[in-house]
Amino acid sequence: MKITVPATSANIGPGFDSVGVALSKYLTIEVLEDSSDWEVIHDLGDIPSDANNLLIKTALEVAPDLAPHRLKMISDIPLARGLGSSSSVIVAGIELANQLANLQLSDQEKLNLATKIEGHPDNVAPAIFGNLVVASYLDGQVSHLVADFPSCDFVAFIPNYQLKTSDSREVLPSTMAYKEAVVASSIANVAIAGLLKGDLTVAGQAIQKDRFHEAYRQKLVKEFAPIKELAQTSGAYATYLSGAGPTVMTLVQQGEGEALKVALDKLKLDGETFVLAVDKEGVGLD
């Protein structure tokens, strides 16, 4: 059995902690034989290979009596880069428990569990459902809506350095003035309305006007400004920080991603550029 979970790009500008889209990078978990102890085979660097792995910790939180197995973990979702690497593992852990314990969880139940573990639904929701997901988490209840993302290419510049979400959150203000919050909310509303209507021109303009987090976080990602400048001269819809960063995501017309990638590569920034597409399936089994 194999469990596959897509990468995700959260926030998409003003959709802070509530909006995300599934993208075409993947975590794959292969379930091997029974074992006396949990073992996770991987080449992903300094992450645990035993029951301390987030995958196993999540699975055991859902189903504490799971019998240990040997597992193989393969991922092209880079760690701590703003592409939902930890959320993909949490979603995979829930699905692992669901399958091994035959829990027959609904997607809503998976979302409830994942949001409780992660703390907010912006990454875990699209990892479960695929596509674009708008969600809220209030008083322990998760509400969500799944929709198709408008046709476009996602051009992701992934820096060679990590930026932990905890560090990125430290630069955010603890409060926001009422009038400023109303303005920020109105911008988010237009961004979501544009995405749902399929108007990336209107959505893109709103995405780049976010007031909730990007103004504070952009200074942590030195590559953001030159990428945005180049993208705008190339006619891109929008450039935004993916999740907490440092990945810089640009939305361009479908078919124009490779041209922007070539142009970005000429900047010789410290990282790698990928052209990604929307994953419409979410977590799946093979």
Side-chain angles (χ1 to χ4, degrees):
M1 179 177 66
K2 289 184 179 180
I3 299 168
T4 303
V5 186
T8 52
S9 179
N11 298 331
I12 313 179
F16 189 45
D17 278 1
S18 61
V19 180
V21 61
L23 296 175
S24 56
K25 279 185 172 291
Y26 297 94
L27 165 73
T28 300
I29 306 299
E30 184 175 358
V31 182
L32 305 175
E33 68 273 12
D34 294 351
S35 177
S36 58
D37 296 293
W38 288 102
E39 180 183 359
V40 183
I41 303 166
H42 66 82
D43 59 0
L44 301 175
D46 190 23
I47 65 172
S49 297
D50 56 14
N52 291 311
N53 189 293
L54 179 61
L55 175 74
I56 309 305
K57 291 171 70 174
T58 300
L60 292 176
E61 185 169 342
V62 176
D65 296 328
L66 283 183
H69 283 71
R70 291 181 72 243
L71 308 169
K72 187 174 183 180
M73 175 184 283
I74 301 172
S75 181
D76 62 358
I77 307 173
L79 300 177
R81 300 297 205 284
L83 288 169
S85 58
S86 62
S87 293
S88 67
V89 176
I90 288 170
V91 170
I94 292 169
E95 191 60 46
L96 179 65
N98 185 41
Q99 296 301 319
L100 293 182
N102 193 28
L103 300 178
Q104 300 185 26
L105 296 172
S106 67
D107 285 343
Q108 181 65 52
E109 289 171 327
K110 294 174 189 176
L111 178 59
N112 293 343
L113 288 166
T115 302
K116 181 179 179 181
I117 294 169
E118 176 71 358
H120 38 82
D122 54 349
N123 284 114
V124 294
I128 292 169
F129 295 100
N131 284 302
L132 170 71
V133 185
V134 182
S136 67
Y137 184 41
L138 180 65
D139 297 330
Q141 300 297 314
V142 188
S143 300
H144 76 281
L145 182 146
V146 182
D148 290 332
F149 202 95
S151 296
C152 68
D153 286 347
F154 288 74
V155 182
F157 173 77
I158 306 176
N160 287 329
Y161 57 87
Q162 296 185 352
L163 179 57
K164 293 182 179 179
T165 301
S166 56
D167 294 336
S168 191
R169 283 189 180 270
E170 285 183 359
V171 302
L172 301 180
S174 58
T175 61
M176 176 178 280
Y178 185 83
K179 288 184 178 180
E180 179 70 6
V182 171
V183 172
S185 179
S186 69
I187 292 169
N189 293 342
V190 173
I192 299 306
L195 290 175
L196 295 180
K197 191 175 180 181
D199 190 333
L200 272 175
T201 299
V202 170
Q205 292 170 355
I207 286 168
Q208 294 191 146
K209 294 177 181 177
D210 167 63
R211 297 194 179 195
F212 286 122
H213 73 110
E214 282 209 1
Y216 309 100
R217 287 172 162 172
Q218 285 175 13
K219 62 186 179 183
L220 301 177
V221 183
K222 61 182 182 296
E223 297 85 0
F224 186 90
I227 291 174
K228 181 178 179 180
E229 181 179 359
L230 175 60
Q232 292 302 290
T233 60
S234 301
Y237 293 119
T239 298
Y240 67 91
L241 281 180
S242 183
T247 290
V248 180
M249 192 72 71
T250 299
L251 307 179
V252 299
Q253 289 187 24
Q254 194 161 34
E256 295 186 0
E258 286 296 337
L260 180 58
K261 178 185 183 306
V262 171
L264 289 176
D265 288 343
K266 290 180 180 178
L267 295 179
K268 298 187 182 301
L269 301 173
D270 184 20
E272 192 171 0
T273 307
F274 297 87
V275 180
L276 304 176
V278 174
D279 175 278
K280 296 185 178 183
E281 303 299 324
V283 60
L285 295 174
D286 293 323

